[in-house]
Amino acid sequence: HADPKNIGEALLLPPYDTPEFSLKVGSASFPISTSVPDAQKAFNHGIALLHLFWTGEAERAFRQAASLDPEHPMPYWAMAMANERFPGRASVYINYANHLAGKNPETTPLEHAWIETYRHYYNPGPGNPESRTPKSRSQRNRRLEDMAYTYPDDFEIRAFLLREIILDDFRAGIPITGKFATDALARQLAGQAPDHPSRHYRLW
């Protein structure tokens, strides 16, 4: 598919079906500021799928969350995460998430941080002429580390940091420089939440 020019075009692209919640994908908890319990359920399901690299199914779940709470920015942030291999599409989703975050006073500082971290990654700007370069990946990971220090009890920040380190090595050929520290992070996460799908990152 050609890169979509706006959110309408992006949502016309597949996947179209509702998510399959019977899939055994482990347990993920990524609280967002929605007042719609079913939107939170769909969002959590998508996060679990995302950690398993089941990105098409993850986007189905995030679209379900967005349909249930259409003014919430985080399902669109998550759709950007599910399209890491399609940066044009991811950029449309993250920019729309940023647009909704600016309109929605219920958006939390942590949600703003998630959106800002990936908005800078997918959108070239001063000092970052191209997205998804080693430099932009390093900046993204530093932002995640800053978030982890600011929110030390947030499991998903550390899980996403581990995910990005693994994917940078696998997709972009950026070596893991701190293998001992990375393995320690993976062990910590697996010990804290053994049923969380991030446990498989140690195999990578």
Side-chain angles (χ1 to χ4, degrees):
H1 299 289
D3 288 342
K5 298 180 178 62
N6 54 53
I7 191 64
E9 288 187 8
L11 293 173
L12 284 174
L13 298 172
Y16 305 120
D17 298 336
T18 55
E20 179 52 72
F21 289 108
S22 65
L23 295 171
K24 305 299 183 184
V25 295
S27 177
S29 177
F30 191 132
I32 58 175
S33 57
T34 182
S35 59
V36 184
D38 283 347
Q40 180 68 70
K41 176 185 175 183
F43 190 86
N44 286 344
H45 185 66
I47 292 294
L49 290 162
L50 194 60
H51 283 300
L52 294 170
F53 306 134
W54 205 341
T55 53
E57 288 297 321
E59 186 170 350
R60 292 183 203 275
F62 298 137
R63 286 186 178 213
Q64 179 77 357
S67 72
L68 293 166
D69 193 352
E71 295 302 309
H72 201 291
M74 289 304 285
Y76 295 95
W77 167 86
M79 288 182 222
M81 300 303 95
N83 282 277
E84 198 269 347
R85 289 178 295 170
F86 307 101
R89 188 165 168 177
S91 178
V92 169
Y93 283 135
I94 200 69
N95 288 335
Y96 192 67
N98 187 57
H99 167 72
L100 290 179
K103 291 173 41 179
N104 187 344
E106 301 300 317
T107 305
T108 68
L110 177 55
E111 290 168 344
H112 279 290
W114 278 115
I115 293 166
E116 280 296 291
T117 292
Y118 285 90
R119 188 174 68 84
H120 284 279
Y121 175 57
Y122 283 114
N123 291 283
N128 178 28
E130 297 181 62
S131 67
R132 306 196 325 148
T133 62
K135 180 178 180 180
S136 66
R137 290 175 188 274
S138 176
Q139 291 172 337
R140 176 206 58 204
N141 289 357
R142 282 200 300 271
R143 286 173 176 269
L144 286 170
E145 288 178 350
D146 289 344
M147 289 168 61
Y149 279 110
T150 304
Y151 302 93
D153 297 326
D154 192 293
F155 183 93
E156 284 296 341
I157 297 172
R158 289 174 290 141
F160 267 85
L161 176 59
L162 179 62
R163 177 180 188 270
E164 300 299 11
I165 291 170
I166 297 300
L167 285 180
D168 286 349
D169 182 33
F170 178 68
R171 288 185 179 159
I174 300 172
I176 299 173
T177 55
K179 291 186 177 181
F180 184 82
T182 302
D183 187 59
L185 175 59
R187 286 175 178 268
Q188 179 193 64
L189 294 175
Q192 185 176 342
D195 194 38
H196 191 277
S198 64
R199 64 187 180 276
H200 75 92
Y201 290 138
R202 288 197 71 221
L203 299 176
W204 289 67

